[in-house]
Amino acid sequence: MAVMKFLCDTKRCIECNGCVTACKNENDSALEWGIQRRRVVTINDGEPGETSISVACMHCTDAPCQAVCPADCFYRTDDGIVLHNKDTCIGCGYCLYACPFGAPQFPKKGAFGSRGKMDKCTFCAGGPEKNFSEAEREKYGANRIAEGKLPMCAEMCSTKSLLAGDAEIVSNIYRERVAARGNPGAIWGYTPKVGA
Amino acid sequence: MKLTSLRSLFASLVLPLVILMGLGLSTSALAADGQNSQQIANAKTSDADLWRAVKAGDSGYTVAQGSEAGVLINVVGNEGKNIKNEYLTPAMGVAVLGVFSAFLIFYFVNGPSKLTKGFSGKMVLRWSKADLIIHWVLAISCLGLIFTGINIMLGKHILQPYVGEGVWAALIYGSKTIHDYVGPLFIVSWILCVVKWMPLQTLKMYDLKWFLVVGGYINFGPFKGKHPDSGFANAGEKMWFWTLAIFGLFISVSGIMLVLPGLDLPREASMAALLIHGLSAIIIIAFTIVHIWMATVLSEGGMECMKSGYCDENWAVQHHNLWYDEIKENGTLEYKD
Ligand code: HEM
Ligand code: SF4
Ligand code: SF4
């Protein structure tokens, strides 16, 4: 049994927004106007120490959205992916308030709580409907996990900064990278640059 | 460190709720701890400090639209969720079950408060037609909000496990929709009630004495047969009025914050509104249960007031002696013809 996670290697991310576009394209059927499941944020933009990171739902192990939802529409798959049922969702917005990563989004902003059904990253694992069904495509987008593939955003990442997959494998890849890069600034006078 | 900021905020909210709702909540400063700005300055050189600043709510550049898209991590809402799940949800259960069963037990031990001289048959005008309408619109809207609100807060624990998926989806969606649209009706009738009835509800010295003998409702021990002084409203009713006035304001303002997503409030403000809404609901619901018990079974002859607007003369003398003396003296006493 895997535990699926995203990891964004900030030393590699070049803020190309390819992951955002890949996600939009892959899940197009489910994404109403204005919704973007993934976003890239750049800290210290244009200054020394500039760092970009791609973020979407982190598929938390003890997910705040799931714990706060009054309709109880979230569930965790055997792979540790946090999914939700749009038929039960009442669009109250509690999950958006509780999520530390700002992942849940709503198609509308009408008065009297009519936000519409919440949408968020599914780790390209669809939803509670039958795998590959029309209903699943329309409500949740792609189900690549059921096809044995990983999320489109990570697959399309040009620098292989965004990693997705079983936590153990992902962290092994990252650990190898860190070992290869060294740790600049950890020892006096030792400042190797990435690729130098 | 983890829970301190919002938890202490919550503690300090209970008293100066209004001020905070207006001022403090929209600042994301709540999320940041004291070292934040120093960390942000250091972040240019140190990876560890960069992540610490990000975790403290530091915001960056992004092409994504939407409020707070540049914020990578905001832990305040999760702290709010902890408060909600650890304290408010259980407190709501205790309020509903506890207060109801306490009164049930009290009723069986104590029995109702009877009219010592029985009914006189002469009916004295107490509430106008307008008062009756305000009362029932307020009561029905409030009850509608209570039942739907309880389902929104407790339904997934007490109802969902026992009904099918489709039934649950319909129930929770129905609750939310009814709650959203009955809210404004409550607000209007609440305003009318507060404005129109406020003059009758000012606290007087004799109200203190009323509390000392528990309103004369105890039928045993040293309190038996006591009939403390009271004006148009007794001290207990005044308590109910002021609780509803104050927490009605909190629940209305926080409800409006929740019901209008177009306001685009920061997550801190929305979560604070949710907590204030839940806390106010607990208090109002507990008092509502007390109020309904008193009106329907505990005080003989009390229900008549809100049915016809008239009360029995003996009831007026026993429960609201000062008011009765006053209207008798100044000639405003009106009998039903
Ligand atoms: C006596 C009056 C009221 C009671 C007892 C009440 C009770 C509740 C309760 C218990 C909840 C669930 C809170 C939680 O899950 O933590 C809730 C949610 C909510 N309340 Fe109220 N409430 C009242 C008045 C109002 C008013 C006046 C409004 C504004 C129009 C309002 C708008 C909301 C909204 C928007 C929610 C979130 C769920 C939703 O979107 O429907 N409430 N209420
Ligand atoms: S929506 Fe937010 S809280 Fe829920 S699993 Fe994703 S990152 Fe975690
Ligand atoms: S918006 Fe939907 S998913 Fe989010 S907490 Fe409300 S009911 Fe649950």
Side-chain angles (χ1 to χ4, degrees), chain B residues 256-267:
Chain B
I256 290 169
M257 289 166 75
L258 294 170
V259 91
L260 301 176
L263 292 176
D264 254 339
L265 296 168
R267 280 169 276 173

Side-chain angles (χ1 to χ4, degrees), chain B residues 170-200:
Chain B
L171 279 175
I172 189 74
Y173 188 73
S175 294
K176 181 217 187 269
T177 311
I178 294 170
H179 200 93
D180 288 353
Y181 284 93
V182 172
L185 192 62
F186 169 83
I187 297 181
V188 171
S189 51
W190 170 81
I191 293 174
L192 290 173
C193 146
V194 170
V195 171
K196 190 154 191 293
W197 298 348
M198 183 111 63
L200 304 168

Side-chain angles (χ1 to χ4, degrees), chain B residues 23-55:
Chain B
L23 300 171
L25 295 169
S26 51
T27 56
S28 54
L30 297 174
D33 60 6
Q35 300 165 35
N36 191 15
S37 55
Q38 185 56 43
Q39 281 163 359
I40 291 167
N42 286 351
K44 298 189 172 63
T45 48
S46 150
D47 282 350
D49 281 340
L50 174 86
W51 293 121
R52 231 168 268 134
V54 163
K55 210 182 150 202

Side-chain angles (χ1 to χ4, degrees), chain A residues 5 13 19 33 35 38 41 49-50 65 77 84 97 111 114-115 133 137 143 146 162 164 173 175 191:
Chain A
K5 289 290 173 203
C13 180
C19 50
W33 179 256
I35 288 187
R38 182 167 279 289
V41 176
E50 176 175 310
C65 55
T77 70
H84 72 295
Y97 310 156
S114 48
R115 299 164 186 267
S133 62
R137 255 210 106 64
N143 192 345
L162 186 60
I173 296 174
R175 207 174 306 122
T191 50

Side-chain angles (χ1 to χ4, degrees), chain B residues 42-102:
Chain B
N42 286 351
K44 298 189 172 63
T45 48
S46 150
D47 282 350
D49 281 340
L50 174 86
W51 293 121
R52 231 168 268 134
V54 163
K55 210 182 150 202
D58 195 14
S59 155
Y61 168 82
T62 178
V63 292
Q65 306 284 303
S67 53
E68 302 177 85
V71 178
L72 280 166
I73 297 180
N74 180 345
V75 295
V76 177
N78 187 36
E79 292 164 4
K81 173 222 82 188
N82 290 338
I83 295 172
K84 180 170 144 65
N85 287 0
E86 280 169 40
Y87 300 107
L88 291 187
T89 306
M92 179 64 97
V94 171
V96 175
L97 273 182
V99 177
F100 187 84
S101 39

Side-chain angles (χ1 to χ4, degrees), chain A residues 69-71 73-74 89-95 106 118:
Chain A
C69 175
C73 52
F74 292 90
C89 172
I90 58 173
C92 63
Y94 292 8
C95 51
F106 297 88
M118 187 275 276

